[in-house]
Amino acid sequence: EKDHQRKGVQSTSVEDSMSMVHLSVGMKRPASPRLLSEPAVVAGMARAALPDSATPWQWYVEDYDRIRDTMAMALDGVEDFNRRVRLPLGVRIRQPARELVFLTPSGRAEFSAAALPDVVPAPGTLALGPMRSLDQWNTTS
């Protein structure tokens, strides 16, 4: 769906299963005028949970390029993100494991196993768990 914000229709950056990030923009009219974008939902929760935060949450929601510009300043590997994500094929996110770079004492991949707790939620308790599907696309901003 089209994502209309103060600075116009927004595009989100999405990562595909090959670690390629490109822009995605909705094509259809929103299903409801009350439908909120993912950045708007996250910003709303942040404002509610952190009312004294100096982070300009609404400013980010107005223009998603601002989110990507901040990411480019704060994260290694996404320098010049707004320009690169607009390239015809997008930008590949660096995956050290694919390049066989492991920052471990041995310089190799190291695996361990940990027992999972056998937790049964109390009646009336909501238990959440993560899951991922094949070919899922991840919104990054």
Side-chain angles (χ1 to χ4, degrees):
E1 297 162 331
K2 290 183 181 176
D3 184 356
H4 295 273
Q5 299 297 337
R6 187 163 186 240
K7 293 286 187 171
V9 175
Q10 299 299 302
S11 55
T12 57
S13 46
V14 295
E15 178 183 357
D16 66 21
S17 58
M18 298 283 99
S19 302
M20 293 298 294
V21 179
H22 63 276
L23 293 181
S24 177
V25 62
M27 304 300 289
K28 298 183 183 233
R29 185 180 76 236
S32 166
R34 295 182 297 197
L35 187 64
L36 297 176
S37 67
E38 184 178 348
V41 169
V42 171
M45 290 189 308
R47 283 194 311 269
L50 306 165
D52 298 324
S53 171
T55 301
W57 299 108
Q58 189 56 40
W59 182 78
Y60 283 126
V61 173
E62 292 172 359
D63 184 350
Y64 300 170
D65 278 353
R66 295 169 178 167
I67 298 169
R68 288 183 286 271
D69 284 339
T70 301
M71 290 170 61
M73 290 186 293
L75 302 171
D76 290 334
V78 291
E79 296 81 5
D80 199 19
F81 195 34
N82 267 316
R83 181 191 63 79
R84 293 170 54 211
V85 79
R86 286 174 166 82
L87 295 173
L89 297 176
V91 59
R92 180 176 297 280
I93 296 297
R94 187 172 174 268
Q95 298 290 330
R98 179 180 38 227
E99 300 162 16
L100 302 178
V101 174
F102 302 101
L103 303 178
T104 60
S106 68
R108 300 177 62 152
E110 297 178 2
F111 298 92
S112 63
L116 294 175
D118 187 15
V119 177
V120 178
T125 300
L126 175 64
L128 301 175
M131 65 184 278
R132 182 177 173 92
S133 66
L134 179 64
D135 293 331
Q136 170 184 331
W137 289 41
N138 300 314
T139 302
T140 55
S141 70

